[in-house]
Amino acid sequence: MSRPDTSQPQPVRPASVSGARFAAIVLLGPIVGTLVVIAAVLVTDPPFAAFDDEALVLPLALGMGWALGLLPAILAAIGWRLALRHARIGQHRLLASLAIGGATGLIGGVPGAIAIFGTAGIFPAGLLLMALAGAFALAATALPWSKT
């Protein structure tokens, strides 16, 4: 009876994105991104100055933000699934999540912004905010509780 050869290193199987993680990125990512945008607006402008009742605006902003963030979140989940094959170390995973989230937030957010605001609504600060929202959203949904 022969024993298996254990002297040879076993190939390392690349990490994969579970279905639950993929769903978290797609479903929770737009909420996180929307909260980043709301926080940025609250810091830079008076809180919803055009509206009398902020309590009515917040659900509307969350709903619209989630809908506008859905395409970037789907793109981010796909990008994250592909990136995990190469980003194995915690620092690489953080940088990958920020880069992928920023890129997909920008790429996926522009069509929605154009649909709602027209091309006149696309300005550099808005583009930066889309990228920032995507970066924070992917990092917040892809990294917690993941194996490093």
Side-chain angles (χ1 to χ4, degrees):
M1 193 174 260
S2 67
R3 294 183 189 218
D5 183 17
T6 57
S7 63
Q8 297 294 325
Q10 298 298 319
V12 176
R13 187 172 160 217
S16 66
V17 177
S18 69
R21 179 71 55 173
F22 194 89
I25 293 169
V26 171
L27 299 176
L28 298 177
I31 294 171
V32 173
T34 300
L35 292 175
V36 169
V37 171
I38 289 172
V41 168
L42 289 175
V43 167
T44 59
D45 285 338
F48 304 114
F51 298 97
D52 293 333
D53 192 3
E54 290 85 10
L56 295 175
V57 175
L58 189 58
L60 177 65
L62 286 172
M64 282 187 62
W66 186 85
L68 289 173
L70 196 55
L71 176 61
I74 292 168
L75 295 174
I78 293 168
W80 185 246
R81 179 172 275 177
L82 296 173
L84 270 187
R85 295 182 183 148
H86 304 290
R88 298 178 203 266
I89 302 170
Q91 295 166 342
H92 294 156
R93 293 168 68 113
L94 174 61
L95 291 175
S97 71
L98 294 174
I100 292 167
T104 57
L106 187 60
I107 293 167
V110 168
I114 289 174
I116 291 180
F117 304 112
T119 55
I122 304 296
F123 50 94
L127 295 174
L128 178 64
L129 192 53
M130 283 185 243
L132 187 68
F136 273 96
L138 185 58
T141 55
L143 295 178
W145 306 289
S146 63
K147 296 176 184 175
T148 309

